[in-house]
Amino acid sequence: MLNHLIKKAAVLGSGVMGSGIAAHLANIGIPTLLLDIVPRELSKEEAAKGLTLADKQVRNRISSQNIQKLLKQKPAPLTSKKNLALIEAGNLEDDLIKLKDVDWIIEVVVENLNVKKQVFEKVDQYRKPGSIVSSNTSGISVEAMVEGRSDDFKKHFLGTHFFNPPRYLKLLEVIPTQYTSAEVLSFMKTFGEDVLGKGVVIAKDTPNFIANRIGTYGLLITVREMLKAGLSVGEVDSITGPLIGRAKSATFRTLDVVGLDTFYHVANNVYEQVEGPEKEIFEIPAFLKSMVEKGWLGSKSGQGFFLKIGKDILELDPNTLEYGPRKKLATPAVELVSQEKGTANKLKALVYANDKAGQFLWKTFTESFIYSAQLLGTIADDIVAIDRAMKWGFGWELGPFEAWDAIGLETSVQKLKSLGVEVPTWVTEMLEKGYSSFYLEENGEQFYYHNGQYRLVETNPKVIDLQKIKKQIGVIKKNSGASLIDIGDGVALLEFHSPNNAIGLDIVQMINHAVDEVEKNYKGLVIGNQGKNFCVGANLAMMLMEVQDDNIDELDLIVRHLHRALLKVKYSSKPVVAAPFGMTLGGGAEVCLPATHIQASSETYMGLVEVGVGLLPGGGGNKELYMKHLANLPNGVPIDLQNVANKVFETIAMAKVSTSAEEARETNFLSASDGISFNSDHLLYDAKQTVLSLHEKGYKPRIRRKVPVVGETGYATLLLGAEAMRLSGYISEHDVKIAKRIAYVIAGGRVPFGTEVDEQYLLDLEREAFLSLIVEPKSQQRMQHMLVKGKPLRN
């Protein structure tokens, strides 16, 4: 019988991948046992301490060391260092008995079938009936691993292929065997999406499964076509990144990050298991073999396709294996396409262009399209699984079939046939039957072609698609910066859609309208969107333009409007839930802080960063963060006002940004009662459910109370910290000026210590301080620099 709750897990193998999976489980709150082999000899340090091979400290050394390495890895595998306490070190000889207490056992040992089978033989002896066992193999047959195991083991066994790093990459390929029960498969798909926060695709038991099979093929085709066209590594990367909807690291920078040894292993795995023309493609080019032999493996070895010397980045010449200046490919098509909007439009214009870039991209894309179509039914049952795997695993904006639709399926097939290229039969038959695209959209619903008909694309019911809702229902009200949308069940949603979701007067107006409308006609409001980031702050360009035009009164009015709007959010008679994700900076954080509740995506990077542009938070952030700190103090504990003021001052003056929602909770941007969603696709659903829950419990609006402040003596204490930083050379004179303004606002001005003041008083102090800084030439220089360079200026 299947255990429907995974309360504890075990990971067998503590290398980078195994420890990364253990960290991901710990982030979610699942206690995890991390086991590895027993060392065969003492280290110098162990010998010096007089330890022996029989000591537990020695026997657990490998997993213990790999657990500690999690604290130093970048990007950080842990959402909070505190989560390390949920990972227990052990070894594969003494601690297998502990497997009887776990609900999920994940094998991540060396990629060798015989070793894996030996491990599973032991696991079978110790696991409890009904516990799930899975392998994180990236290409070894899961069917072969399960030979000789008990019936209960076989029924509860499957492949669960995480992508590295597990915290950040969305894809989880789940690979059942012929023995895997339907219940186990269904459970793991749901658990993977709802608890692990992954995008789950069901893959077939074939070499490298879905994403690595197609991704590796595409990379090798790119290498082949680069050599044929005489292009350089840098030129290829300049046209195979964001220009075509791929990661910024493009092709060869991605290989450097992944590691050429890893790529070599993955490609060779397919090479050894396939025949014919496919085998030729997966044969590693000679220059790549030479790079691996030389140890030029990419980032991990300090050089690969690129080599950094000082500030210069050099590119490798595959013909000579020498480094030279990095190049970019500039062709008429590339220049024109940069003006196009949307990846689909750019791609269509590029692949049909009759220049070097167009010819190269036509060849690489169409080869990958045909290969993906040939593998349909072999690696996955439908095109949706293949497209999702490539988007979630490799960061492609469009999967192969979506991209094929984007360039025009009929037009491209006609061109391929005219060039004598063989197109998979099922694609030509599809076109002959009158189906002209792989995907079809009707009434806001998406359908995909499958076996002679269009079928509805199935999604998890916890996925709320705002574009689909707007197409089907429309919007309640909108302007250039935001829309108010009915998301069902009596809940409205305020969506920002200005450039970068930056806050301007248009968004402020919609915040006011949203609260008014919700108080009259809805159960509550969600503030969220599905852009790249929740909100990167206020409209910096607009503010700079106003101050340079000497429109200080206009700026004063805008700040007043924003303050009033966010107080309206805070004291609304209906619950307001903010749903931040990604960059939630400056004004983005200020919109969230007064909300009734925050439901944050696990990957939320929240902070008040205005110091970086020579300002202080101007939307109530100083006051709200201070009040959030006070509210988060335990009941009955005497309040140390100065300590609270010090912490808030340090957070704002140092422009601290959380590296996760968990860390945002530790810095009091989130309260203990605020929620965290591990699946970003479920964030709006979770926020909506919170609104409904608050409504059903009989939500009572907040009561406005006065705020105790540290006043003049506390202000002096805060200034000591700023002055010490200046004397140590850590901050500039202008930084000190900004710090003094921040300190004055947080302290509550020149009032006696412990004075209770109204929120509006603190907002007025903040507004005056904000306006005094924005007229400073050095602040304007910082604003200009951020707009032009995209990074802070220290002046």
Side-chain angles (χ1 to χ4, degrees):
M1 182 176 151
L2 176 66
N3 293 307
H4 287 282
L5 285 174
I6 292 177
K7 296 177 182 176
K8 189 172 183 181
V11 177
L12 315 182
S14 69
V16 172
M17 197 69 205
S19 60
I21 292 171
H24 187 66
L25 294 171
N27 291 337
I28 292 159
I30 298 175
T32 302
L33 182 64
L34 185 61
L35 308 182
D36 213 308
I37 59 172
V38 175
R40 296 290 172 245
E41 55 185 34
L42 293 172
S43 68
K44 289 179 182 177
E45 293 81 4
E46 289 165 343
K49 290 177 183 176
L51 297 171
T52 71
L53 289 173
D55 285 307
K56 193 72 172 171
Q57 183 180 335
V58 175
R59 294 177 72 78
N60 289 351
R61 183 218 307 154
I62 295 173
S63 58
S64 296
Q65 286 182 343
N66 285 332
I67 289 170
Q68 290 305 312
K69 284 179 183 176
L70 291 171
L71 296 172
K72 298 176 183 177
Q73 284 178 28
K74 292 192 181 304
L78 295 163
T79 54
S80 167
K81 291 179 180 179
K82 292 177 182 176
N83 296 337
L84 204 70
L86 287 171
I87 307 174
E88 178 189 350
N91 67 73
L92 288 164
E93 292 180 20
D94 306 327
D95 299 307
L96 287 174
I97 187 71
K98 295 179 180 178
L99 297 183
K100 66 180 176 58
D101 299 321
V102 308
D103 308 299
W104 181 21
I105 301 159
I106 312 162
E107 169 274 310
V108 201
V109 302
V110 64
E111 286 287 78
N112 179 295
L113 179 59
N114 288 331
V115 173
K116 290 179 187 292
K117 289 181 79 169
Q118 288 168 22
V119 168
F120 288 133
E121 185 178 1
K122 291 178 182 176
V123 168
D124 207 356
Q125 296 169 30
Y126 292 100
R127 63 177 282 273
K128 65 182 175 186
S131 62
I132 294 170
V133 184
S134 69
S135 172
N136 185 64
T137 181
S138 58
I140 292 177
S141 169
V142 291
E143 198 85 37
M145 290 180 202
V146 84
E147 289 173 4
R149 300 284 52 81
S150 66
D151 288 345
D152 187 78
F153 187 107
K154 288 180 177 179
K155 196 165 94 171
H156 293 88
F157 179 78
L158 68 173
T160 50
H161 181 217
F162 288 82
F163 272 60
N164 194 32
R167 172 182 164 184
Y168 300 96
L169 285 187
K170 191 173 182 67
L171 180 61
L172 175 63
E173 292 175 321
V174 173
I175 309 99
T177 73
Q178 61 178 313
Y179 309 106
T180 309
S181 82
E183 187 187 9
V184 168
L185 181 61
S186 175
F187 171 79
M188 283 308 294
K189 185 176 190 304
T190 303
F191 178 79
E193 292 173 348
D194 291 359
V195 181
L196 298 177
K198 296 297 176 186
V200 177
V201 296
I202 307 301
K204 292 181 179 288
D205 189 16
T206 53
N208 289 7
F209 313 126
I210 302 173
N212 277 342
R213 180 80 169 265
I214 292 172
T216 306
Y217 180 89
L219 286 164
L220 287 167
I221 287 292
T222 301
V223 170
R224 187 191 72 184
E225 293 304 316
M226 173 187 74
L227 297 174
K228 274 188 185 178
L231 296 175
S232 82
V233 162
E235 286 175 326
V236 169
D237 267 14
S238 70
I239 59 168
T240 57
L243 187 71
I244 60 169
R246 301 284 172 84
K248 193 177 179 182
S249 53
T251 301
F252 295 103
R253 178 71 188 121
T254 296
L255 283 172
D256 272 359
V257 171
V258 168
L260 264 69
D261 51 344
T262 303
F263 174 73
Y264 187 101
H265 166 77
V266 172
N268 204 51
N269 187 51
V270 181
Y271 176 78
E272 290 175 352
Q273 297 184 63
V274 297
E275 299 296 333
E278 187 178 6
K279 194 175 187 76
E280 291 176 28
I281 293 294
F282 279 93
E283 184 172 2
I284 308 295
F287 82 91
L288 274 173
K289 289 180 181 176
S290 296
M291 289 175 72
V292 173
E293 287 165 6
K294 289 173 179 285
W296 297 357
L297 306 178
S299 303
K300 67 175 85 173
S301 65
Q303 70 183 101
F305 286 103
F306 296 100
L307 174 65
K308 189 171 184 181
I309 297 178
K311 291 186 177 180
D312 296 324
I313 297 175
L314 307 179
E315 65 171 56
L316 183 76
D317 183 334
N319 298 305
T320 64
L321 291 187
E322 293 177 353
Y323 291 93
R326 185 166 56 167
K327 302 171 193 169
K328 286 187 177 181
L329 185 62
T331 72
V334 171
E335 298 296 325
L336 285 170
V337 161
S338 60
Q339 310 303 317
E340 289 276 356
K341 286 191 175 180
T343 298
N345 291 330
K346 288 181 180 180
L347 204 53
K348 189 172 184 177
L350 274 170
V351 297
Y352 294 115
N354 191 24
D355 63 17
K356 263 191 170 185
Q359 289 161 1
F360 175 81
L361 291 172
W362 165 264
K363 193 70 178 168
T364 53
F365 267 101
T366 55
E367 291 257 10
S368 290
F369 293 163
I370 290 167
Y371 186 64
S372 301
Q374 287 170 341
L375 290 177
L376 182 66
T378 301
I379 60 173
D381 285 330
D382 56 61
I383 63 171
V384 177
I386 293 174
D387 279 345
R388 284 176 172 172
M390 299 318 299
K391 291 191 288 185
W392 293 338
F394 275 70
W396 293 6
E397 193 175 319
L398 300 172
F401 296 99
E402 291 171 327
W404 205 343
D405 270 353
I407 70 166
L409 180 58
E410 288 181 295
T411 306
S412 62
V413 168
Q414 285 172 7
K415 182 175 176 180
L416 285 165
K417 285 183 174 179
S418 72
L419 295 169
V421 177
E422 191 176 336
V423 177
T425 307
W426 74 266
V427 177
T428 55
E429 287 177 351
M430 168 188 159
L431 289 169
E432 286 164 6
K433 289 175 184 173
Y435 298 100
S436 58
S437 63
F438 294 112
Y439 290 94
L440 180 71
E441 193 174 294
E442 283 184 356
N443 302 319
E445 298 283 6
Q446 193 180 33
F447 299 83
Y448 70 99
Y449 181 81
H450 186 77
N451 290 342
Q453 61 181 331
Y454 283 117
R455 294 186 181 181
L456 182 68
V457 174
E458 292 183 9
T459 55
N460 189 304
K462 293 184 178 180
V463 174
I464 291 176
D465 185 335
L466 294 182
Q467 294 306 315
K468 178 177 166 182
I469 291 172
K470 286 193 283 189
K471 285 175 184 175
Q472 291 178 333
I473 302 171
V475 299
I476 302 165
K477 187 179 177 71
K478 71 176 289 187
N479 63 20
S480 58
S483 294
L484 187 62
I485 307 161
D486 187 332
I487 57 172
D489 301 314
V491 179
L493 179 138
L494 178 62
E495 176 198 29
F496 298 171
H497 46 62
S498 62
N500 294 318
N501 290 342
I503 297 170
L505 197 54
D506 48 5
I507 284 180
V508 175
Q509 289 167 347
M510 282 301 295
I511 291 172
N512 278 306
H513 178 82
V515 176
D516 289 342
E517 178 68 24
V518 165
E519 288 189 324
K520 287 179 198 167
N521 300 312
Y522 289 85
K523 295 175 182 176
L525 175 70
V526 172
I527 302 177
N529 63 77
Q530 291 174 326
K532 186 178 178 183
N533 293 294
F534 175 77
C535 174
V536 296
N539 188 332
L540 201 59
M542 177 274 291
M543 291 195 300
L544 184 60
M545 185 175 68
E546 293 288 1
V547 72
Q548 288 178 341
D549 288 346
D550 208 23
N551 291 333
I552 303 303
D553 289 344
E554 183 70 24
L555 275 174
D556 180 89
L557 191 62
I558 291 169
V559 174
R560 288 174 189 269
H561 279 312
L562 179 58
H563 285 171
R564 280 198 288 268
L566 294 180
L567 281 176
K568 207 167 181 176
V569 165
K570 186 171 185 176
Y571 295 107
S572 167
S573 62
K574 301 289 178 70
V576 178
V577 176
F581 62 93
M583 296 296 180
T584 303
L585 305 175
E590 289 176 308
V591 167
C592 296
L593 287 168
T596 312
H597 179 95
I598 299 174
Q599 183 68 37
S601 169
S602 180
E603 298 303 327
T604 297
Y605 316 115
M606 187 179 278
L608 296 167
V609 295
E610 287 82 355
V611 168
V613 288
L615 303 171
L616 53 63
N622 305 277
K623 179 258 299 180
E624 283 298 340
L625 188 61
Y626 179 71
M627 291 183 73
K628 195 115 179 171
H629 270 69
L630 290 175
N632 287 345
L633 292 173
N635 288 330
V637 175
I639 296 174
D640 184 343
L641 276 185
Q642 189 64 58
N643 186 48
V644 172
N646 292 350
K647 285 182 177 177
V648 176
F649 172 72
E650 185 182 325
T651 300
I652 297 173
M654 301 288 289
K656 289 184 178 180
V657 177
S658 71
T659 60
S660 66
E662 191 67 42
E663 199 174 281
R665 184 176 275 158
E666 291 167 12
T667 52
N668 282 302
F669 280 98
L670 300 188
S671 302
S673 59
D674 289 327
I676 296 176
S677 297
F678 281 90
N679 191 324
S680 56
D681 290 341
H682 299 179
L683 176 61
L684 296 184
Y685 172 88
D686 293 341
K688 177 183 172 182
Q689 296 309 305
T690 303
V691 167
L692 292 172
S693 174
L694 289 166
H695 170 78
E696 285 159 15
K697 289 174 183 173
Y699 178 72
K700 297 286 190 296
R702 289 168 168 148
I703 297 169
R704 191 157 171 165
R705 302 180 194 279
K706 292 201 168 184
V707 187
V709 295
V710 293
E712 195 160 12
T713 57
Y715 172 57
T717 302
L718 294 176
L719 289 186
L720 286 174
E723 193 59 31
M725 289 171 71
R726 184 189 68 81
L727 291 171
S728 66
Y730 191 78
I731 60 175
S732 68
E733 289 287 348
H734 192 57
D735 288 322
V736 173
K737 184 176 283 189
I738 299 165
K740 284 181 178 178
R741 299 286 201 285
I742 295 168
Y744 192 76
V745 173
I746 291 167
R750 299 189 183 280
V751 296
F753 185 96
T755 301
E756 293 190 343
V757 299
D758 186 74
E759 286 182 67
Q760 189 58 55
Y761 168 78
L762 291 175
L763 288 174
D764 289 341
L765 289 182
E766 181 181 289
R767 175 175 48 81
E768 290 159 10
F770 176 84
L771 294 172
S772 73
L773 284 172
I774 203 168
V775 297
E776 292 275 349
K778 286 189 176 180
S779 288
Q780 291 174 31
Q781 288 167 15
R782 289 190 181 191
M783 294 168 74
Q784 184 74 40
H785 192 271
M786 179 61 75
L787 287 167
V788 175
K789 303 285 186 180
K791 55 186 179 182
L793 170 69
R794 297 302 301 271
N795 61 350

